[in-house]
Amino acid sequence: MGSDIDSKLRLLTYALPQTARYFVDLATLEKNCPLDIGHTGHGMLTRPTVSGPNNTAPSTLESLPLELLHDIMYRLNLQTLIDIRSVNKRIRDLVTYTPAYRAITQHAPNALRFMLSLATASSFSLLQLYNALLSIDCFLCGGFGDYLSALNCQRCCIGCIANSPELFAINIDEVPGPHAPDREVVLASQPMAVTFPGLYGDGDHLPQGRNRLVLVAPLWQAGTALYGWGPPQNLADFKGTTMRFRTVVRFPTLRLSTGILEWGLSCQGCYENHETSLKKPTLYTRDGFLRYYANCQPAQEKWQRYLTSGGEMVDFYWLGTKERLHTNVRKNGRYMQRVRSD
């Protein structure tokens, strides 16, 4: 049964690569923001402790139950958590072996690197990022969210990043509206990202100057609540700026029940059945796709053709056969031929 499901998933689904343009280059991010993952000494501690001077007197922290220590770690913001790891080895071990921190550094280290690099790590706690890792749905549309916004620490999808006013970002120097002291107060109340300098998709280098970005909609909501600003006049005008893509990063979801890390799968049968569609494919989890498959005739027909072929067929994954690829995808060679045999 398990192998049958795995074969079905391999044949009938494909994984989308990160949309290259506008997004930070992950290799550059990893190079410029290394994490000292694994540099923790001699194995896991069952009860991390902090000793006093000359390792003779126990500290107050040492006397606390491990569960309470972990609860404290969960409530600290991410920047503080990284900073206190440098205090001494005991504190470093305590942070490192906190379950949420271990899960993030093992399964989604680039999300942590990204938030540290954009200086938004001080605005969100370890628990918030961990809850985002365990979540599945885009906080706006409810579909599978394969990105994380560094400006609200919530999961989102590429469709909402591109089109939802809730995710439009703007340089604070370009914020229209009041230029009074209350403007500075409102800005100070919002998470602010300092753009990551370096290489982005398609070889695009962001200028050396680092822009300070905020989300437009939450900014105006705060301004309206505090000072009666009212809604921005033309929120749709911010859709044209690409800065909103600078504040998101690819983000998997962790299924604790199975330990499986998921990035989202799309239906190959639907793509081949709608070969002229330019709409972004719907993403599913493994279980979500299997539920969808029960009502997807193109996918069922493709599976039957596979079975009648004797368990071997040449297929193109990601985006169908070469003849059916969209022009821009075919031009960039984003397809691969392989023989499936199970």
Side-chain angles (χ1 to χ4, degrees), residues 36-40 44-45 47-50 61 66 69-74 76-105 112 126:
D36 61 341
I37 301 171
H39 297 172
T40 56
M44 182 183 298
L45 298 179
R47 183 180 177 81
T49 59
V50 181
L61 190 62
L66 183 58
L69 291 174
H70 283 168
D71 187 60
I72 294 172
M73 298 301 106
Y74 275 61
L76 293 177
N77 70 62
L78 295 165
Q79 185 63 62
T80 298
L81 204 66
I82 295 298
D83 291 343
I84 66 173
R85 292 184 79 248
S86 63
V87 171
N88 58 35
K89 180 181 180 298
R90 298 295 188 179
I91 294 291
R92 186 178 65 199
D93 287 345
L94 172 61
V95 174
T96 299
Y97 294 122
T98 298
Y101 184 84
R102 294 197 71 186
I104 290 168
T105 53
L112 180 57
L126 174 65

Side-chain angles (χ1 to χ4, degrees), residues 69-304:
L69 291 174
H70 283 168
D71 187 60
I72 294 172
M73 298 301 106
Y74 275 61
R75 296 171 187 272
L76 293 177
N77 70 62
L78 295 165
Q79 185 63 62
T80 298
L81 204 66
I82 295 298
D83 291 343
I84 66 173
R85 292 184 79 248
S86 63
V87 171
N88 58 35
K89 180 181 180 298
R90 298 295 188 179
I91 294 291
R92 186 178 65 199
D93 287 345
L94 172 61
V95 174
T96 299
Y97 294 122
T98 298
Y101 184 84
R102 294 197 71 186
I104 290 168
T105 53
Q106 179 180 354
H107 300 293
N110 282 336
L112 180 57
R113 289 187 176 101
F114 192 65
M115 297 183 75
L116 290 168
S117 298
L118 268 64
T120 60
S122 60
S123 299
F124 304 102
S125 69
L126 174 65
L127 182 60
Q128 286 176 287
L129 183 55
Y130 182 59
N131 285 339
L133 179 63
L134 300 184
S135 67
I136 298 174
D137 301 334
C138 169
F139 81 101
L140 289 170
C141 70
F144 185 91
D146 53 334
Y147 285 84
L148 176 77
S149 170
L151 280 171
N152 61 18
C153 200
Q154 295 192 76
R155 186 178 293 277
C156 51
C157 67
I158 187 63
C160 290
I161 295 169
N163 300 303
S164 174
E166 292 292 326
L167 290 171
F168 292 171
I170 187 174
N171 191 324
I172 65 168
D173 295 330
E174 300 174 3
V175 173
H179 290 276
D182 60 275
R183 175 178 178 271
E184 300 303 319
V185 174
V186 174
L187 284 172
S189 71
Q190 299 299 300
M192 187 178 300
V194 183
T195 52
F196 181 74
L199 185 65
Y200 283 74
D202 295 341
D204 181 18
H205 280 273
L206 197 66
Q208 290 300 314
R210 302 187 70 179
N211 297 309
R212 294 179 295 167
L213 306 180
V214 293
L215 292 177
V216 179
L219 176 71
W220 244 265
Q221 291 169 5
T224 299
L226 293 173
Y227 298 103
W229 284 8
Q233 295 180 351
N234 296 299
L235 191 58
D237 291 345
F238 300 110
K239 183 177 180 180
T241 175
T242 62
M243 284 299 176
R244 61 188 180 279
F245 297 102
R246 313 284 191 185
T247 63
V248 295
V249 67
R250 278 295 297 276
F251 193 53
T253 183
L254 175 62
R255 310 303 299 273
L256 278 180
S257 59
T258 61
I260 293 176
L261 200 66
E262 300 200 39
W263 296 87
L265 300 170
S266 294
C267 180
Q268 182 80 18
C270 288
Y271 179 83
E272 295 178 2
N273 192 53
H274 301 89
E275 57 188 69
T276 60
S277 174
L278 293 178
K279 182 180 178 182
K280 181 183 182 294
T282 302
L283 292 176
Y284 306 93
T285 62
R286 288 166 55 96
D287 293 341
F289 173 77
L290 293 174
R291 291 192 296 270
Y292 175 76
Y293 168 80
N295 298 301
C296 180
Q297 184 176 353
Q300 293 175 7
E301 292 174 351
K302 185 176 179 65
W303 178 247
Q304 289 303 316

